[in-house]
Amino acid sequence: MLDTVHSSIIQAGKKLGLTDDAINELIKIDKEHLFKINLGNDKAFNAYRVQHSNKLGPYKGGIRFHPEVDLDEVRALATLMSFKAAAVGLPLGGAKGGISADPKDLNKAELEELSRKYARELQPHIGPDKDVPAPDVNTNPEIIDWMVDEYRKLTGDITKASFTGKSVGNGGSLGRDAATGRGGMLAFAQLLKHTGQADKQLTYAIQGFGNVGSFFSVLAAKQQPKWKLVAASDSQAAVYSSTGLNAAVLDSYKRKRGRFSDFKKRGVQVITNNELLALDVDVLVLAALGDALNKSNVVNIKAKYIVELANGPTSEAAFDYLTKKGTVILPDIVANAGGVIVSYLEMLQNKAGEHWPEEKVNNELERYMVKAADALYKTTSEKNVSLKEAAFINAIKNLTK
Ligand code: GLU
């Protein structure tokens, strides 16, 4: 993924006529923090925080708990965060954290200890004006609340602006949980408006019906009646129905920890994740992990549009293949920026000691997303480049102002 991110920056930098030195400056990582977290009983994990750039504001970005987390992945994700914030006009920098642990292998007490030890180790390097971490894959408000508490104990900071994605009762923002899915839906709808497709009936499949994907579908069911959800997956299997799936039903099934492999309903088929990716749908929404589309499966993709709700879900080879074929890819750094946008709104609320109504948060999110999607479309048309190149061009313009 790191190579893909670097190529995107180099390509866009060259389009803007930047020198090699200026491009290297954009790629360069400011600081890397690597350490081991020991839980006893032979349980030790590699932990990371990579701070890519604070040119536009404090470092900002999530923390993921996943067995496949490694330094290069965290570097790539940290870099993407800087370009994401810049592409949507936020006064924030980019960072990312991770622990190479599978939370499924830990009990609650171990998960809490892991989270607190991570915050303790990082405390000197983070803070409301320095670096503000947030949730990402397999992390949630409960985990963030433990980290905030640990940070408070060590520093006495009571603003709670040291982390975002907190629970609502602990300084979190209303609308933060749905923000990434909502933002993706708004950005895609805005793109369709520009291409004159807003009134078309569309079928879509969603890879990864989790924290991000489920909100995209549930909100789309309410606000975009012309979009028909026909397939959705979890990490093991997918469900498919050509006549359409009910997002709210799938959402409550998953919230009760149901597995799609066991899902039973007349007219709904259980299929594999690879079968989902290869469906003949108009839109494929990628809301799982990085490199979901790669050299080995890209030839099967039939969708006309791809919405990258995950970070880095399309490898460079897959991106080149699809772009040549005419597939339109709404890139991650705009498509999934809703999360960090509402994180920024959470920081503003914490600093002002305010709690905004959900409607205000959602309106602000919409304003940012529509503006970013409009800017994206403008650059794509003016420069005759892909949406991804346009997103990086817009980001670089902000980063080099
Ligand atoms: N983890 C999310 C992302 O990748 C949100 C980051 C944040 O809110 O700081 O964009």
Side-chain angles (χ1 to χ4, degrees), residues 135-155:
D136 196 77
V137 174
N138 289 335
T139 47
N140 56 31
E142 187 178 34
I143 289 174
I144 296 296
D145 286 352
W146 289 326
M147 294 189 181
V148 172
D149 186 53
E150 201 58 35
Y151 184 82
R152 177 195 55 81
K153 277 196 211 153
L154 294 165
T155 62

Side-chain angles (χ1 to χ4, degrees), residues 31-39 43-51 62-75 96-102 113-123 125 139 147:
K31 276 176 244 149
E32 298 183 343
H33 308 279
L34 279 65
F35 48 99
K36 265 227 149 51
I37 299 180
N38 217 312
L39 297 185
K43 287 186 177 164
F45 304 99
N46 291 323
Y48 312 87
R49 182 78 180 166
V50 172
Q51 297 168 320
I63 302 161
R64 64 172 59 183
F65 290 179
H66 196 277
E68 273 154 39
V69 162
D70 63 28
L71 181 57
D72 266 357
E73 184 188 71
V74 184
R75 285 174 170 150
K96 200 76 169 199
I99 305 181
S100 60
D102 190 343
E113 191 184 341
L114 184 72
S115 309
R116 287 184 180 276
K117 283 190 164 161
Y118 182 81
R120 207 177 302 158
E121 188 78 31
L122 274 183
Q123 178 268 314
H125 312 293
T139 47
M147 294 189 181

Side-chain angles (χ1 to χ4, degrees), residues 171-382:
S173 176
L174 290 167
R176 175 63 183 85
D177 52 356
T180 311
R182 180 184 292 274
M185 178 197 73
L186 293 167
F188 186 55
Q190 193 65 12
L191 175 68
L192 292 178
K193 253 191 216 165
H194 282 294
T195 54
Q197 316 264 302
D199 293 327
K200 259 185 83 180
Q201 303 275 355
L202 294 174
T203 55
Y204 77 98
I206 188 152
Q207 186 207 28
F209 199 81
N211 267 341
V212 171
S214 61
F215 282 110
F216 178 99
S217 291
V218 170
L219 293 168
K222 289 187 193 141
Q223 297 189 12
Q224 303 291 343
K226 299 221 155 103
W227 302 359
K228 184 164 79 177
L229 173 68
V230 296
S233 71
D234 57 23
S235 59
Q236 309 295 323
V239 285
Y240 168 73
S241 165
S242 60
T243 55
L245 295 162
N246 184 321
V249 169
L250 297 186
D251 186 40
S252 68
Y253 180 77
K254 287 308 295 178
R255 280 178 199 279
K256 286 183 216 130
R257 304 196 172 275
R259 290 188 238 179
F260 282 152
S261 55
D262 301 329
F263 191 82
K264 285 190 185 66
K265 193 168 186 285
R266 196 139 46 102
V268 178
Q269 249 174 284
V270 174
I271 61 173
T272 65
N273 235 301
N274 278 333
E275 285 169 331
L276 174 139
L277 294 176
L279 285 173
D280 192 4
V281 285
D282 297 307
V283 188
L284 184 57
V285 180
L286 301 174
L289 291 171
D291 289 338
L293 299 189
N294 50 54
K295 234 194 259 160
S296 71
N297 60 12
V298 69
V299 290
N300 305 325
I301 305 305
K302 301 179 192 71
K304 298 174 207 64
Y305 291 94
I306 288 174
V307 179
E308 292 190 328
L309 277 191
N311 287 309
T314 312
S315 79
E316 192 178 358
F319 178 85
D320 290 344
Y321 178 91
L322 290 168
T323 305
K324 270 190 205 114
K325 210 174 110 177
T327 313
V328 175
I329 303 176
L330 181 60
D332 51 3
I333 62 169
V334 172
N336 73 27
V340 71
I341 291 170
V342 176
S343 275
Y344 174 62
L345 303 177
E346 184 175 328
M347 289 165 74
L348 294 182
Q349 292 173 72
N350 292 153
K351 289 196 168 175
E354 292 175 0
H355 274 293
W356 298 354
E358 189 161 355
E359 205 189 329
K360 175 167 175 178
V361 174
N362 290 343
N363 287 343
E364 277 293 285
L365 168 61
E366 181 160 358
R367 200 172 59 76
Y368 271 100
M369 287 311 305
V370 167
K371 200 169 157 209
D374 289 349
L376 189 64
Y377 190 73
K378 188 165 181 268
T379 304
T380 298
S381 327
E382 281 175 8

Side-chain angles (χ1 to χ4, degrees), residues 100-117:
S100 60
D102 190 343
K104 287 194 202 96
D105 298 338
L106 302 174
N107 62 35
K108 186 109 179 235
E110 289 171 326
L111 193 61
E112 177 168 353
E113 191 184 341
L114 184 72
S115 309
R116 287 184 180 276
K117 283 190 164 161

